[in-house]
Amino acid sequence: MIRKERSKIPVKTLLLGQGTCCISAGAEQVYTALKREIAQLGMADSVQVKRTGLCHGFCQLDPVVIIEPEGLLYSEVKVDDVPEIARSFLPGERLVERLFYHSPVTGEAIPRYRDIAFYQRQQRTVLKNCGYIDPEEIDDYLTNGGYQALRQVLLEMTPEQVIKQVKDSGLRGLGGAGFPTGRKWESCYQAAENEKYVVCNADEGDPGAFQDRSILEGDPHSVLEGMIIAGYAVGAAQGYIYVRAEYPLAVKRLRSAIVQAREEGFLGEDIFGSGFGFDIEIFPGAGAFVCGESTALVLSIEGKRGMPKPLPRPRTTEVGLWNKPTLLNNVKTFAAIRWIINKGADWFSSIGTKKSKGTAIFSLTGKTVNCGLIEVPMGITLREIIFGIGGGIPDNKKFKAVQTGGPSGGVLPESLLDTAIDFDSLTAAGSMMGSGGMVVVDEETCMVDLARYFLDFTQKESCGQCSLCRLGSLQMLEILTAITKGEGRMADIDLLIELGEGIKIGSLCGLGQSAPNPVLSTIRYFRAEYEAHILMQQCPAKRCKALISYYIVPDKCTGCTACQRQCPVNAITGDRKKIHVIDQNKCTRCGICLSVCPERFSAVESVPGRLVSGD
Amino acid sequence: MRKITFVINGRKIETNERNTILRASLAHGIYIPHLCDHPDLTPFGGCRLCVVEIEGRGLTISCKAPVEEGLVVQTETPVINKVRRIAAELLIVNHHAECLQCVRNTECKLQDIAAYIGIEADHLQRLRQTAGDHPIDNSNPFFIRNPNKCVLCGICVRTCEEINGVRVLDFAFRGYETKISTLMNKPINESVCESCGECVVRCPTGALIIKDYQRPDRVVTTICPYCGTGCGIQLGVRGNKVVSVRGDRDNPINKGQLCVKGRFGYHFIDHPDRLTTPLIKRNGAFVKASWDKALELVATKFKEAQDRYGPEALAGLSSARITNEENYLFQKLLRCLGTNSIDHCARL
């Protein structure tokens, strides 16, 4: 392979993230413009413009330009800003202060990203290289310690030693269930078969989760390296990456990484002259959420319908892909392996809590000031994440709950914000670590509607073979929909609990067994909200259209006719300069009146419950 | 095969190893509600009704759990009853429960389960009706597929794959839209279905039913009149009319299996076009004749041919539709007439 000749070591490096999210914010155009501009100013040797796989996870600031070695961060960079940025590197020019991140609290500019609250409390371990290296240049990975762990494993360690190191590290499967990784490897290693497989589960499907995609886009070689090490440890020669076809950029970068790893001899026969050979194939999924379940995933690779196999059955590590012992781990788990080998089991187990070692990666989304991809040590509290890293709730709204673990997880209220999060504490609280989605909701979110949303998702994604999951989630969805429409009955709450508990106990696979979690946890912590919907016919969060009303405050209405003209059903009466009134019988609660009422009047309000005309 | 002893509801049971808890229990007269398990097929594990509790291990489904020496199994505990009741109630509110009009009435597995569990009206009324209104597939000449009564037990899917090896059906779509479907969701007569009806006889509910089915009042065990395989059949007779055919599970030849002809091809018995007397052609038209007249004519013609061309001019072709014994006699007759040119339609 021809390595790039670099005549001079650049004085500055500008890092531009090119993940799916960055690209959608326009990062590609900014990169091209910046590269051209720097070249035109004759600084191509001293200022390197470098594409990286991702930004540094602070998604809402995209496109972001990071200037190393100073660690300066320009946020929300537009193509129009590029000439000014480029000129700032000329001698005597000043930095572009207006593009610095500004604290939402104090308003002051924070030039260095390490000083931004979003980054301060993070502990980037698995994500260390994401945002620094170019995922399509293997050299970049190599200069950052890449494939050193593989080298060490193949040349200096026995498979038993590798397994012992992974066991000692305390790493638990980061796909959500938290099964001890070392034990899984050991079980696959002990399976008495010559042919074995290693499968990487990259079928990330939870709404709101994007960590696996980020690692695949930002640091694909770390996943490959983890898989090859796993192959050596358990005795497999072939690996598969089952990746969502909806992640085209991740698939593209994985493909290019595999090609480059083969060219460099990290994949193929006789790696590092050790006699050990391993290769990896990509298998794009067909869009079924349930194929994230290990047995369904295996069937899908075999070309069959992805339906989980019921217990009791042998473990996948004994009878997996093509009935051969198969080691199946998540993207994040494989990505963590090289660090455990490089830095040692003790280093890894020094991070985290007693039973959950290392770090956790979350996609922090929803109603927080800062959103993005974060990596934190296990044991950090939800409060530290949401109010520290996330910067709290925007627009002076009140925090209401945080949903972790996607549709399989649960909703946790404010009283549990000081819970130190790890696999076990989240499960005890009625939620789960899951794949690491973390959706924060404020007071404007209706918890019944939130539960309904997740049930709608699981119901559609149920594989359909098991009666409790297929029909139980449908039944719960029907009940929740009725409640949000004001057609709930008081007995429904207990019925939901009864159904939920039965479905959890009796369902065939993890999808059904966890599908009731959003319902059960919202009832557990927000029962009053369910009761308000049923008994008072009110949606306290003013989200459920059937259980709210729009009302024009007479003292505030100036009779501007803005709402009256826009109302699609002519429910608003009132002439110019006369107070307008909504006919509640005609109103379809579309909310247009509220959105068109000029802010200086703010005369239209939404209120919980149904008003009767004349109120 | 090794014998295993385990305890179920306090009763010691001896059974073959590799048996499942469900099948061993049923064989010993202990009923465990189940819908998707069938003795001829691989266990599936989808209906979740056969849940039992194994001491020290917790809940499991008995159709997938192999028996093990010393297992202590309970089939009735509060948790089991809760899960089972929920699963059954969910299936019932998802079912077009028009039992009195249903062919499967009193022979329906879902009814058995409901009766065993004891479904109460006020319990059911708490739930929302979720039964869909799917089109009925009438395309097959012999049976009807009614997805509104389907419980997705998958027995038809496994029957087609494991018994007949044709694989016409499989699960398709997701969530509550999941259904049993042919390739590309076409009507079944546009699939490669051979209409053997094996799925129809195994369907536990009214989702697969025989067209114009009449329940017989008695059963006559006999042999299929079609080919030389000689499958055992059980004719369902009502009054003096054959109204159904079932495979005879005790017959060692077919063990209950039948093909489309054997199962559905019995209507010739009472068909108006069926020949009931010999016919002799006179002046270009067939005319009814007595057996004596007909045999006399055949004998005369044989004789004429023999006299004129010698016995080798005669040949006989017999049919699989007659019995072995009759075929034996037929060749005997031909040899007596002096010819060895004898053949049989099933020798093709």
Side-chain angles (χ1 to χ4, degrees):
Chain A
M1 173 163 180
I2 304 157
R3 286 173 200 279
K4 268 192 216 150
E5 296 286 333
R6 280 182 194 141
S7 51
K8 283 181 185 171
I9 296 164
V11 181
K12 283 187 197 301
T13 304
L14 310 185
L15 302 173
L16 270 99
Q18 306 281 310
T20 297
C21 37
C22 319
I23 289 171
S24 62
E28 240 172 354
Q29 290 86 333
V30 172
Y31 168 77
T32 319
L34 197 53
K35 193 142 180 131
R36 194 182 50 225
E37 202 71 25
I38 294 283
Q40 277 174 3
L41 292 173
M43 295 189 290
D45 285 340
S46 57
V47 180
Q48 181 199 8
V49 183
K50 181 177 164 184
R51 240 193 319 218
T52 65
L54 280 182
C55 63
H56 284 40
F58 205 164
C59 301
Q60 80 205 61
L61 300 188
D62 281 335
V64 165
V65 178
I66 287 191
I67 302 155
E68 296 287 7
E70 293 89 343
L72 303 173
L73 180 144
Y74 287 153
S75 63
E76 295 178 71
V77 177
K78 307 271 178 304
V79 174
D80 294 346
D81 301 325
V82 166
E84 196 181 348
I85 294 173
R87 272 198 307 279
S88 74
F89 298 112
L90 291 169
E93 289 290 335
R94 289 170 60 88
L95 295 166
V96 191
E97 259 184 55
R98 65 181 174 86
L99 292 175
F100 287 144
Y101 172 76
H102 289 76
S103 160
V105 187
T106 61
E108 65 173 323
I110 306 176
R112 284 183 175 76
Y113 72 85
R114 286 187 187 85
D115 299 331
I116 298 172
F118 180 77
Y119 294 108
Q120 271 180 334
R121 286 164 212 245
Q122 290 196 52
Q123 187 166 347
R124 295 214 152 204
T125 308
V126 177
L127 296 176
K128 193 163 184 284
N129 278 342
C130 286
Y132 285 97
I133 62 168
D134 184 338
E136 301 195 43
E137 290 292 343
I138 195 169
D139 282 1
D140 220 12
Y141 183 64
L142 294 173
T143 47
N144 283 284
Y147 291 109
Q148 286 302 315
L150 178 66
R151 185 189 176 86
Q152 187 186 338
V153 162
L154 293 187
L155 300 182
E156 296 165 22
M157 294 171 84
T158 62
E160 293 85 353
Q161 286 171 324
V162 178
I163 291 168
K164 184 170 184 302
Q165 187 150 341
V166 175
K167 270 177 103 171
D168 290 348
S169 75
L171 175 66
R172 290 171 67 172
L174 296 170
F179 189 83
T181 307
R183 261 174 55 201
K184 199 185 238 184
W185 286 30
E186 190 174 50
S187 154
C188 191
Y189 166 75
Q190 285 167 346
E193 283 261 12
N194 288 330
E195 209 177 320
K196 296 178 188 178
Y197 296 100
V198 170
V199 177
C200 173
N201 185 349
D203 192 44
E204 181 175 55
D206 286 1
F210 50 87
Q211 318 88 289
D212 293 353
R213 193 203 76 217
S214 302
I215 293 173
L216 296 176
E217 288 179 3
D219 193 8
H221 285 288
S222 66
V223 180
L224 303 187
E225 188 172 358
M227 287 179 72
I228 307 166
I229 292 171
Y232 175 73
V234 302
Q238 179 66 48
Y240 289 92
I241 302 176
Y242 188 90
V243 57
R244 295 187 82 190
E246 297 95 321
Y247 284 174
L249 189 63
V251 174
K252 178 176 164 260
R253 289 188 179 160
L254 271 175
R255 282 196 204 287
S256 101
I258 289 173
V259 168
Q260 292 184 31
R262 279 192 195 131
E263 283 170 358
E264 296 282 335
F266 302 127
L267 282 174
E269 284 169 20
D270 196 19
I271 303 167
F272 285 118
S274 64
F276 170 73
F278 192 79
D279 207 355
I280 294 175
E281 225 177 88
I282 295 174
F283 193 98
F289 177 72
V290 76
C291 287
E293 198 274 348
S294 60
T295 56
L297 187 153
V298 161
L299 283 174
S300 179
I301 295 181
E302 290 175 0
K304 297 174 187 150
R305 178 179 166 92
M307 298 210 291
K309 291 182 185 168
L311 288 164
R313 55 165 162 76
R315 288 182 187 284
T316 309
T317 47
E318 291 154 21
V319 181
L321 187 58
W322 292 302
N323 292 327
K324 299 292 176 191
T326 301
L327 177 75
L328 192 138
N329 279 136
N330 175 263
V331 171
K332 297 179 283 289
T333 315
F334 282 124
I337 295 299
R338 64 166 286 208
W339 302 105
I340 291 171
I341 301 292
N342 278 337
K343 298 194 172 186
D346 291 343
W347 162 81
F348 191 83
S349 62
S350 70
I351 309 167
T353 63
K354 199 164 172 243
K355 284 187 168 172
S356 300
K357 301 297 183 192
T359 55
I361 302 174
F362 288 105
S363 313
L364 181 63
T365 58
K367 300 290 179 62
T368 49
V369 174
N370 309 328
C371 292
L373 180 71
I374 61 166
E375 183 171 1
V376 289
M378 295 275 188
I380 193 172
T381 65
L382 286 166
R383 192 183 297 281
E384 282 175 274
I385 293 183
I386 296 162
F387 289 91
I389 296 169
I393 315 300
D395 304 328
N396 294 321
K397 296 267 162 51
K398 225 169 132 296
F399 170 87
K400 189 172 197 175
V402 54
Q403 210 279 346
T404 68
S408 310
V411 176
L412 305 173
E414 190 163 13
S415 60
L416 292 172
L417 275 181
D418 292 313
T419 309
I421 49 172
D422 62 20
F423 290 106
D424 311 297
S425 64
L426 284 179
T427 309
S431 184
M432 70 188 293
M433 188 78 97
S435 69
M438 187 176 276
V439 186
V440 177
V441 297
D442 67 9
E443 55 193 321
E444 289 189 339
T445 302
C446 167
M447 300 318 269
V448 185
D449 191 50
L450 184 77
R452 191 199 56 75
Y453 166 80
F454 280 112
L455 251 287
D456 186 51
F457 179 86
T458 36
Q459 157 35 235
K460 287 195 175 107
E461 293 295 343
S462 162
C463 82
Q465 69 174 324
C466 143
S467 60
L468 284 170
C469 174
R470 177 184 78 245
L471 299 175
S473 58
L474 172 65
Q475 184 66 232
M476 291 178 90
L477 175 64
E478 295 273 320
I479 295 169
L480 290 167
T481 307
I483 295 175
T484 58
K485 284 185 179 167
E487 293 157 9
R489 311 166 194 152
M490 212 39 214
D492 282 345
I493 301 178
D494 287 336
L495 177 61
L496 283 172
I497 296 173
E498 184 188 324
L499 286 170
E501 286 173 349
I503 294 164
K504 274 182 82 144
I505 302 168
S507 283
L508 188 152
C509 81
L511 176 66
Q513 285 158 13
S514 60
N517 281 348
V519 185
L520 294 176
S521 61
T522 46
I523 294 178
R524 184 166 158 192
Y525 300 120
F526 298 94
R527 193 182 177 112
E529 217 165 306
Y530 279 81
E531 289 169 351
H533 281 73
I534 297 168
L535 286 179
M536 328 259 290
Q537 295 282 296
Q538 283 184 2
C539 174
K542 299 184 280 191
R543 282 286 127 190
C544 301
K545 288 281 178 209
L547 299 178
I548 58 164
S549 303
Y550 290 96
Y551 172 66
I552 300 172
V553 184
D555 294 349
K556 291 185 180 174
C557 178
T558 58
C560 73
T561 74
C563 59
Q564 191 226 1
R565 278 178 284 129
Q566 296 285 332
C567 178
V569 290
N570 296 322
I572 301 175
T573 50
D575 292 329
R576 179 162 282 280
K577 309 247 176 201
K578 285 191 180 149
I579 295 166
H580 292 4
V581 179
I582 299 174
D583 181 344
Q584 298 296 340
N585 293 328
K586 279 190 186 171
C587 175
T588 56
R589 296 175 297 282
C590 67
I592 290 176
C593 50
L594 180 70
S595 61
V596 297
C597 181
E599 214 177 308
R600 59 185 189 280
F601 307 140
S602 296
V604 183
E605 287 178 357
S606 63
V607 290
R610 292 302 312 277
L611 295 175
V612 181
S613 268
D615 274 8
Chain B
M1 204 176 276
R2 211 158 62 90
K3 292 282 179 193
I4 295 256
T5 309
F6 75 105
V7 177
I8 182 158
N9 297 343
R11 221 178 105 187
K12 248 191 188 159
I13 284 183
E14 196 188 64
T15 182
N16 290 332
E17 65 172 344
R18 292 212 289 269
N19 209 352
T20 61
I21 292 176
L22 175 64
R23 290 183 193 177
S25 306
L26 293 174
H28 284 79
I30 298 170
Y31 178 67
I32 300 173
H34 62 282
L35 205 49
C36 66
D37 196 66
H38 191 281
D40 300 341
L41 307 169
T42 317
F44 179 62
C47 76
R48 318 307 290 169
L49 285 160
C50 71
V51 59
V52 296
E53 202 170 321
I54 299 177
E55 217 175 82
R57 295 193 200 168
L59 289 194
T60 186
I61 44 168
S62 56
C63 69
K64 282 288 225 184
V67 290
E68 286 172 49
E69 189 64 47
L71 279 188
V72 179
V73 181
Q74 292 291 334
T75 68
E76 295 286 327
T77 67
V79 185
I80 293 172
N81 284 324
K82 179 175 175 171
V83 173
R84 204 189 255 166
R85 173 176 296 280
I86 290 172
E89 288 178 349
L90 288 171
L91 284 163
I92 289 166
V93 295
N94 189 247
H95 189 80
H96 274 205
E98 31 166 37
C99 295
L100 288 181
Q101 295 110 287
C102 183
V103 162
R104 207 72 80 178
N105 192 19
T106 74
E107 290 170 358
C108 167
K109 287 274 169 59
L110 194 57
Q111 284 180 336
D112 292 349
I113 289 156
Y116 181 82
I117 292 174
I119 300 293
E120 292 158 25
D122 57 343
H123 245 254
L124 276 191
Q125 277 155 10
R126 302 180 311 160
L127 299 169
R128 271 56 171 186
Q129 283 292 326
T130 55
D133 199 9
H134 304 286
I136 291 169
D137 183 357
N138 251 318
S139 66
N140 185 286
F142 308 114
F143 60 84
I144 296 166
R145 292 174 68 219
N146 183 351
N148 302 307
K149 289 184 184 174
C150 178
V151 289
L152 290 182
C153 66
I155 284 178
C156 53
V157 176
R158 279 170 289 148
T159 299
C160 201
E161 177 173 347
E162 297 174 21
I163 302 288
N164 210 21
V166 183
R167 293 179 161 199
V168 170
L169 300 170
D170 206 344
F171 286 82
F173 308 102
R174 279 183 235 171
Y176 66 95
E177 288 174 359
T178 310
K179 61 175 189 169
I180 305 298
S181 165
T182 59
L183 184 67
M184 306 308 287
N185 199 22
K186 295 229 169 113
I188 195 146
N189 71 330
E190 292 174 34
S191 72
V192 292
C193 172
E194 296 173 352
S195 304
C196 69
E198 291 292 331
C199 58
V200 181
V201 291
R202 284 181 182 78
C203 179
T205 68
L208 281 165
I209 52 164
I210 295 173
K211 275 187 178 168
D212 305 322
Y213 179 78
Q214 285 182 294
R215 200 168 283 193
D217 52 40
R218 67 203 149 96
V219 167
V220 177
T221 303
T222 179
I223 302 293
C224 174
Y226 277 96
C227 77
T229 307
C231 294
I233 57 170
Q234 289 181 323
L235 296 178
V237 184
R238 181 174 174 133
N240 204 22
K241 208 175 157 203
V242 174
V243 291
S244 70
V245 177
R246 289 185 77 92
D248 181 2
R249 290 181 72 89
D250 294 331
N251 186 294
I253 303 294
N254 59 323
K255 298 188 177 74
Q257 282 183 53
L258 289 178
C259 72
V260 56
K261 288 199 258 182
R263 188 183 312 281
F264 296 117
Y266 60 87
H267 292 97
F268 69 89
I269 299 170
D270 301 303
H271 200 279
D273 291 347
R274 182 177 173 184
L275 299 184
T276 48
T277 64
L279 300 175
I280 294 173
K281 207 178 242 181
R282 288 192 211 283
N283 303 324
F286 283 114
V287 177
K288 277 188 180 173
S290 70
W291 278 104
D292 284 346
K293 277 263 188 268
L295 288 171
E296 201 184 303
L297 177 68
V298 173
T300 318
K301 294 279 181 192
F302 272 14
K303 190 92 178 97
E304 276 173 26
Q306 243 178 350
D307 292 347
R308 208 159 151 194
Y309 305 107
E312 287 295 317
L314 295 177
L317 182 70
S318 81
S319 162
R321 303 277 309 260
I322 58 176
T323 64
N324 252 355
E325 292 74 10
E326 289 162 334
N327 270 316
Y328 175 79
L329 291 171
F330 179 76
Q331 60 87 28
K332 201 86 181 156
L333 173 73
L334 269 284
R335 289 187 209 282
C336 290
L337 294 174
T339 177
N340 286 325
S341 302
I342 306 159
D343 213 337
H344 183 279
C345 74
R347 200 188 62 87
L348 295 171

